[in-house]
Amino acid sequence: MHFIELFRYDFIRYALVSGLLLGPTCALLGVFVNLRGMAFFSDALAHSALTGVALGFMIDAWTGWKIDPTIYVLIFSCLLALGMGWLSQRTPLSRDTITAFTFTGSVALGVILISLLGKHRMLEGLLFGSIYANGPADIVHQAILAAAVLVFFLTQLRPLTLATLDPELARSRGIRPALLHYAFSLLVAATVAVGLKMLGALLLSALIVMPAAAARIASSSFRNLILVALLLGIAAPPVGIAASATLNLPTGPCIVLVHVAALAVCQLIHLIRPLRSLTT
Amino acid sequence: MTTDSPLLESRSLTLRHGTRQVLTAFSCAIHRGELLGISGPNGCGKTTLLKALVGIHRPVGGSIVRHRLARKPGYVPQHAPIDRNFPLTASEFLAINCHSRIPWIGGIPRKLRHGICGKLDCLGISHLAARPLGTLSGGELQRVRIAASLLDDPVLLLLDEPSNHLDPAAAASLKQLMIHLHQEHLLTLIVVSHDESFLDGLSTRRLTLDAPLLAVA
């Protein structure tokens, strides 16, 4: 199928818009997920979203409500992110350990709830997602999220960067690193809730972590880091969707593999650059 | 408050670090033009005192009175190990230290360029502007941190263990820089150091804190 012909289909157009909204949003968040060592945190939130969906189904079954599962995941992910932040300040355990037990505990609870509900088939959709299941309502959610992330970064990028590099110095400049951490964690949680449908729990954290990881390898200044991450975040979803549609392969994994390829190229350039300077 | 009033005055200050009381009823005044060196053994409360004077540590008793000129003092905290792979250039580090509402997306915003380049020039480190922080030596990084603390043109600069992790040559060069800032730029400085020799020939007044009584609150 010719690439242009793909755009005749509504679901392809929605998928593309969805990718173009979520790709750069995740990439921008990913810059600080990487710098703050929160890759495991975003992965844990993505997997814990299973429990949010399962709890939503149970609440709907008991009450007869018909609420969008994204709302349940959003509430659950935000509570979990706040809970992990709160615990990390009040226990001697490391942030990694807290994330690990929250991650495994909530996934275990989610699987039990899904099993009790008898919705085993739902697990595959939650784990792998489907970008083609996006509709206009999802696009609206994603646009609101993208706008929120953009506003946050335009207003808080400077304090967030300083708080990430040197929290002590940030405090002396009137910045509240803990508050910024909570706000940032909530944005990651919201992104997980909104992006779950597109890539699923397994692949979502790749969309957050990988563009920024590739950009970090390729950049020596912060401006380049942001620009390269955004560029990869924007470029990977359309390339992945096109590859998936033309080669008849699953879309989520195709997008992730585009990011893996970009990361490999950046690493290669990083390895070759010193060698070239030696020969010139 | 007159021009002769102290820039900073602590009155019966009591400070706690965690559950440990490190200073009790401590009073001290810092006047304009002084270069005060604070020394003492580990754990005596030097850093806690400096943080309280900057305003980021709340005293459990007493008060700190700041002259209007010392409302926004410059502060160089104890050298924290930074992520050497953090992709931030020296000039970008100064940009994130600016009190400004101008949106920043990396690089140096045009409106801040003059101020940032001026400070790097003033400290003789303009050649470091485009260098990533991770490639700077300990001495170079310390100068960049001092340049960042001077962005708001403070009259008072507080430095916590500035010579830590520096080799003797870099420490001597840093000492010269502080004397230059004090004498040529008329800055009032408070320098905390456990290294008595670093403060020798530097401070115009010396304050030595005693080891605290291990009073558990």
Side-chain angles (χ1 to χ4, degrees):
Chain A
M1 190 188 287
H2 193 275
F3 183 65
I4 300 296
E5 284 177 45
L6 295 173
F7 295 101
R8 286 189 308 177
Y9 303 103
D10 270 352
F11 68 93
I12 294 276
R13 282 203 295 268
Y14 285 140
L16 202 64
V17 173
S18 182
L20 288 173
L21 283 170
L22 276 180
T25 304
C26 289
L28 210 50
L29 285 170
V31 167
F32 283 93
V33 164
N34 268 281
L35 292 174
R36 298 172 81 87
M38 291 169 72
F40 186 33
F41 170 84
S42 67
D43 200 29
L45 277 183
H47 284 80
S48 306
L50 297 177
T51 317
V53 176
L55 282 172
F57 272 112
M58 291 199 99
I59 294 170
D60 279 359
W62 285 334
T63 57
W65 297 340
K66 290 276 177 220
I67 295 176
D68 187 339
T70 304
I71 305 293
Y72 288 116
V73 179
L74 181 68
I75 295 169
F76 184 74
S77 301
C78 287
L79 287 176
L80 207 65
L82 291 176
M84 283 195 264
W86 184 82
L87 262 181
S88 68
Q89 288 172 352
R90 280 162 184 80
T91 64
L93 298 173
S94 75
R95 204 172 267 177
D96 243 17
T97 310
I98 292 166
T99 308
F101 76 69
T102 316
F103 172 21
T104 47
S106 60
V107 169
L109 178 66
V111 171
I112 286 176
L113 290 178
I114 287 170
S115 150
L116 287 173
L117 287 163
K119 289 185 180 282
H120 300 92
R121 287 177 64 189
M122 193 178 75
L123 262 179
E124 193 186 340
L126 288 172
L127 286 174
F128 298 103
S130 169
I131 196 168
Y132 299 123
N134 277 307
D138 300 302
I139 302 288
V140 170
H141 291 159
Q142 289 157 9
I144 292 171
L145 174 78
V149 169
L150 190 66
V151 168
F152 178 78
F153 274 93
L154 282 179
T155 56
Q156 302 299 321
L157 188 58
R158 201 196 318 252
L160 186 64
T161 310
L162 188 56
T164 305
L165 182 71
D166 191 339
E168 177 75 23
L169 187 59
R171 262 190 289 276
S172 77
R173 302 233 150 226
I175 296 163
R176 298 171 70 182
L179 201 65
L180 271 178
H181 178 75
Y182 278 119
F184 180 71
S185 301
L186 285 178
L187 276 180
V188 175
T191 306
V192 163
V194 174
L196 191 68
K197 207 171 190 175
M198 178 177 164
L199 282 180
L202 279 178
L203 304 178
L204 184 63
S205 57
L207 207 65
I208 296 176
V209 173
M210 295 181 80
R216 194 171 173 184
I217 295 171
S219 315
S220 55
S221 75
F222 205 80
R223 167 165 283 182
N224 285 353
L225 174 71
I226 298 272
L227 291 178
V228 175
L230 274 177
L231 197 71
L232 291 175
I234 292 168
V239 175
I241 290 168
S244 138
T246 47
L247 302 171
N248 199 21
L249 293 168
T251 313
C254 278
I255 297 174
V256 173
L257 286 181
V258 172
H259 278 308
V260 172
L263 198 132
V265 170
C266 287
Q267 181 61 44
L268 203 65
I269 293 170
H270 180 70
L271 291 175
I272 290 171
R273 205 185 285 157
L275 294 177
R276 281 186 62 190
S277 65
L278 279 178
T279 54
T280 52
Chain B
M1 196 173 273
T2 66
T3 47
D4 293 336
S5 311
L7 274 183
L8 208 57
E9 190 178 3
S10 73
R11 294 178 181 162
S12 300
L13 206 61
T14 300
L15 297 174
R16 201 177 280 169
H17 179 76
T19 54
R20 199 164 57 94
Q21 195 151 304
V22 287
L23 276 182
T24 310
F26 175 81
S27 295
C28 163
I30 295 107
H31 290 86
R32 197 153 190 197
E34 276 192 295
L35 204 165
L36 176 69
I38 303 177
S39 59
N42 283 341
C44 69
K46 303 186 293 291
T47 295
T48 313
L49 171 64
L50 207 64
K51 283 181 183 175
L53 294 176
V54 173
I56 55 173
H57 185 92
R58 196 175 291 174
V60 288
S63 61
I64 295 167
V65 181
R66 290 183 185 85
H67 191 283
R68 62 180 172 77
L69 293 172
R71 292 269 154 79
K72 276 188 182 173
Y75 174 54
V76 183
Q78 205 167 140
H79 188 64
I82 63 155
D83 178 357
R84 286 262 155 194
N85 292 315
F86 204 104
L88 196 75
T89 62
S91 55
E92 284 179 323
F93 177 71
L94 263 71
I96 62 170
N97 273 277
C98 286
H99 281 116
S100 164
R101 291 190 179 276
I102 301 166
W104 178 77
I105 48 160
I108 322 176
R110 198 174 298 163
K111 286 184 179 171
L112 301 178
R113 193 174 293 268
H114 180 71
I116 290 174
C117 294
K119 285 293 172 276
L120 289 172
D121 241 4
C122 164
L123 269 71
I125 48 170
S126 359
H127 61 287
L128 302 179
R131 291 257 306 272
L133 287 188
T135 64
L136 302 180
S137 69
E140 288 171 335
L141 185 59
Q142 198 60 294
R143 279 171 182 262
V144 170
R145 296 170 90 226
I146 292 173
S149 72
L150 296 176
L151 281 167
D152 295 329
D153 295 317
V155 296
L156 175 66
L157 179 63
L158 299 94
L159 300 105
D160 193 1
E161 302 283 4
S163 61
N164 264 10
H165 313 299
L166 297 187
D167 58 51
S173 159
L174 188 68
K175 201 162 154 175
Q176 284 309 313
L177 173 67
M178 285 181 199
I179 292 169
H180 172 78
L181 290 173
H182 178 238
Q183 292 178 351
E184 305 298 322
H185 296 266
L186 306 175
L187 267 177
T188 304
L189 284 101
I190 304 177
V191 183
V192 155
S193 180
H194 69 280
D195 181 4
E196 299 270 353
S197 66
F198 182 74
L199 295 176
D200 289 341
L202 175 69
S203 51
T204 55
R205 182 155 68 104
R206 185 80 72 87
L207 193 71
T208 307
L209 301 181
D210 295 328
L213 294 171
L214 290 175
V216 178

